[in-house]
Amino acid sequence: MKKQFLVGVLLLGVVTIVKAQTKNLENLLFELPDVIFSKIETAKGFESTYELKIKQPIDHDDVSKGFFYQRAFLSHKGYDRPTVIITEGYRRSKNRVYELTELISGNQIDVEHRFFGESVPKPFDYKYLNLKQATADLHHIRDLFGKIYKEKWLSTGVSKGGATTIYYKYFYPNDIDVSVPYVAPINRSFEDSRIYSFLDKVGSDDCRKKIKDFQVRLFENRDEIMPLLRFYSKGRKSKFTYIPIEKAFEYAVLEYPFSFWQYGASCDKIPSADASVEDMVVYMNSVSDIHFYDDKTVDYLEPHYYQSAEEMGYYGFKTKEFKKYLKVLPTNKNPHATFVPSYSKEIIFNGELLKNINKWLDSEANKFIYIYGGIDTWSATAVPVNKKVDSQWFFMEGKHHGNARIKNMNNSEKERLVSTLEKWLSIKIEKPQSEVIHKGTR
């Protein structure tokens, strides 16, 4: 009975402390200008979690242009812990705890990218969607919450969000102590040709031949495939206003090798030469879905396409080997993978930022931990390994865009990552355990 009583007292004490910390945090949040907060379900392992609306200038260089509210999520661990700011590249509609945050037992602020989800200025003007403005959003958040969290700060993101992590450090080098971008492409031009070189070499000769042969069979069976695709699209209530379905088919076939390696498809599952047309269509859509080009997807990704076409660069599709099969796409130049229906005639690519950041990465970008998948197509435009800077690279053998994560590192990789974080952050990290480090991000 006495033991149960003591346990009860201890639990009551813990609850009281947690409630006191929550109340104290809310008092601190009330004192922050430009921040509206509401308590939501507390993320597992944290003291409290909040959805935030953060007032941001539409133009950080001229606040007379007006303001908008940017959505973010705060998960509070403790004032004596490091803080991780998540640089999302797209929409973030609900809270999600990243594996890096759990590994270092830190606080987390997950930030939706401007012009995505609910973080959209009104009036809507793409002129203010650029990396200078997007990273200024992050800097404002860092400045605000730096008043609460005084320990080390890290930033991390995945894919386009990982690239945003890199750009954030470029524009604001003093904001962040350690940056951990995952599978982050940093292009060098509007159409980065390193993608083509990668696709010509990745995997085995036999697998690459099977990929190309399947593309040819798709084109050769176009007349039988198109009715199936139309039926499939009707069932999904998809519309192809921006990209007609015939053009979408050609894009999907050309995209197939890129998607195949990006997400680690199996060479053994490529349909054989005697496979039915139905089986070919099902498989194609499992790897390079034609609905990636429907109106709903293009509308959702339009801000991303705008950024790619205006300053981030992207990739294209080589058509030389398939010239005789293409009926809609141009064959005199490589079709580009950006689709911006609203602004397609107004965008002029400016490569100055890519030139500057690649130069900076080569000589000044310290305290980065880069994580890439060895077979991920986007590793073609990875930040190159460079001994002139104090950073670490992980090219994870056999891993792709979706599973190049700390949880999937081998023991020596995990040890190197943990020891690097401990050194740079001046903290002690518990040795990776399955329940801590094996939680994925996405």
Side-chain angles (χ1 to χ4, degrees):
M1 180 70 69
K2 184 182 292 185
K3 184 177 180 180
Q4 290 177 335
F5 174 76
L6 289 174
V7 169
V9 171
L10 287 172
L11 288 174
L12 180 62
V14 170
V15 171
T16 302
I17 291 171
V18 169
K19 286 184 176 179
Q21 286 190 2
T22 299
K23 189 66 176 178
N24 181 47
L25 176 59
E26 291 185 359
N27 289 337
L28 294 172
L29 292 173
F30 270 121
E31 293 175 3
L32 294 182
D34 302 339
V35 176
I36 299 172
F37 65 93
S38 57
K39 199 171 189 305
I40 60 175
E41 181 181 357
T42 301
K44 185 177 179 180
F46 291 83
E47 302 295 341
S48 53
T49 300
Y50 299 87
E51 181 172 357
L52 310 174
K53 300 292 184 183
I54 301 165
K55 188 177 180 181
Q56 298 280 13
I58 294 174
D59 182 356
H60 284 269
D61 296 323
D62 183 359
V63 296
S64 69
K65 295 292 196 305
F67 299 87
F68 72 101
Y69 280 93
Q70 185 169 29
R71 178 166 55 185
F73 297 90
L74 167 64
S75 294
H76 174 77
K77 175 77 68 171
Y79 303 110
D80 61 341
R81 302 305 306 160
T83 299
V84 182
I85 185 168
I86 311 300
T87 59
E88 297 287 357
Y90 303 92
R91 178 177 62 187
R92 170 52 40 214
S93 58
K94 61 182 180 179
N95 190 48
R96 177 185 65 186
V97 179
Y98 272 60
E99 62 176 3
L100 178 66
T101 306
E102 294 196 316
L103 176 62
I104 66 166
S105 189
N107 306 295
Q108 178 179 288
I109 303 174
D110 193 356
V111 184
E112 183 171 74
H113 199 289
R114 67 161 47 203
F115 281 73
F116 287 89
E118 293 186 2
S119 305
V120 179
K122 296 179 181 179
F124 187 94
D125 190 341
Y126 270 136
K127 180 171 66 174
Y128 302 109
L129 175 58
N130 56 60
L131 287 157
K132 181 182 177 183
Q133 298 288 349
T135 56
D137 294 339
L138 298 169
H139 176 66
H140 182 48
I141 293 169
R142 168 67 176 89
D143 185 54
L144 286 169
F145 285 86
K147 296 176 173 65
I148 296 176
Y149 300 112
K150 307 290 187 180
E151 300 301 321
K152 301 283 189 179
W153 279 69
L154 303 85
S155 62
T156 190
V158 176
S159 193
K160 182 174 177 287
T164 306
T165 293
I166 297 172
Y167 283 106
Y168 177 33
K169 183 77 170 180
Y170 168 73
F171 280 105
Y172 297 96
N174 297 321
D175 274 17
I176 296 297
D177 297 287
V178 177
S179 301
V180 187
Y182 289 76
V183 295
I186 296 293
N187 299 303
R188 293 178 180 171
S189 59
F190 176 62
E191 180 187 336
D192 199 312
S193 62
R194 289 176 295 171
I195 296 291
Y196 306 138
S197 300
F198 177 90
L199 292 175
D200 287 341
K201 297 175 183 177
V202 64
S204 66
D205 292 343
D206 180 62
C207 187
R208 292 196 303 274
K209 184 177 186 303
K210 288 176 71 173
I211 289 170
K212 182 182 176 183
D213 288 347
F214 181 66
Q215 289 177 279
V216 169
R217 290 200 300 277
L218 287 170
F219 280 130
E220 288 179 341
N221 288 276
R222 176 198 291 256
D223 290 344
E224 294 177 75
I225 287 173
M226 288 310 304
L228 295 177
L229 291 177
R230 289 189 174 92
F231 182 76
Y232 171 55
S233 299
K234 185 176 181 179
R236 290 190 46 165
K237 298 181 180 179
S238 293
K239 295 181 180 179
F240 292 86
T241 307
Y242 307 132
I243 304 172
I245 195 167
E246 287 275 358
K247 182 181 285 189
F249 166 70
E250 293 186 358
Y251 271 129
V253 176
L254 294 177
E255 168 77 21
Y256 169 67
F258 189 106
S259 293
F260 181 96
W261 294 110
Q262 182 181 5
Y263 285 104
S266 169
C267 292
D268 295 334
K269 292 185 179 180
I270 299 174
S272 62
D274 59 355
S276 67
V277 171
E278 289 81 3
D279 287 344
M280 291 169 60
V281 170
V282 169
Y283 171 78
M284 182 192 83
N285 282 326
S286 72
V287 178
S288 181
D289 195 337
I290 192 172
H291 291 95
F292 187 72
Y293 306 97
D294 68 11
D295 291 0
K296 183 178 180 180
T297 306
V298 173
D299 280 336
Y300 170 72
L301 291 175
E302 184 176 309
H304 155 59
Y305 289 141
Y306 176 85
Q307 287 185 279
S308 299
E310 200 269 337
E311 64 177 352
M312 294 185 76
Y314 213 41
Y315 64 99
F317 305 108
K318 287 198 296 187
T319 61
K320 183 178 179 181
E321 296 176 309
F322 305 106
K323 190 172 182 178
K324 68 178 181 179
Y325 299 111
L326 298 177
K327 298 181 178 180
V328 185
L329 292 176
T331 56
N332 60 333
K333 64 177 182 178
N334 293 332
H336 204 264
T338 56
F339 313 105
V340 193
S342 300
Y343 280 76
S344 59
K345 295 181 180 180
E346 300 177 27
I347 301 174
I348 299 175
F349 181 73
N350 184 344
E352 193 65 23
L353 178 57
L354 291 185
K355 178 181 176 181
N356 291 339
I357 196 168
N358 277 287
K359 182 179 179 181
W360 176 80
L361 286 167
D362 185 56
S363 58
E364 300 179 53
N366 296 306
K367 302 297 188 292
F368 274 93
I369 296 176
Y370 301 100
I371 299 173
Y372 290 102
I375 63 170
D376 177 12
T377 313
W378 278 122
S379 68
T381 57
V383 175
V385 177
N386 176 11
K387 294 183 179 180
K388 292 185 290 184
V389 295
D390 185 16
S391 290
Q392 292 285 328
W393 279 260
F394 294 86
F395 285 88
M396 298 173 63
E397 184 177 356
K399 297 299 186 288
H400 53 73
H401 206 67
N403 66 5
R405 303 290 186 270
I406 298 171
K407 65 176 183 176
N408 294 321
M409 287 182 174
N410 60 40
N411 288 336
S412 64
E413 289 172 329
K414 290 175 185 176
E415 289 174 4
R416 177 159 62 95
L417 180 133
V418 168
S419 64
T420 299
L421 287 172
E422 288 181 332
K423 176 183 176 183
W424 288 351
L425 296 173
S426 300
I427 63 173
K428 185 65 177 176
I429 298 173
E430 290 186 22
K431 295 305 178 185
Q433 301 172 6
S434 59
E435 65 270 22
V436 175
I437 205 167
H438 284 181
K439 290 190 176 181
T441 51
R442 63 170 173 169

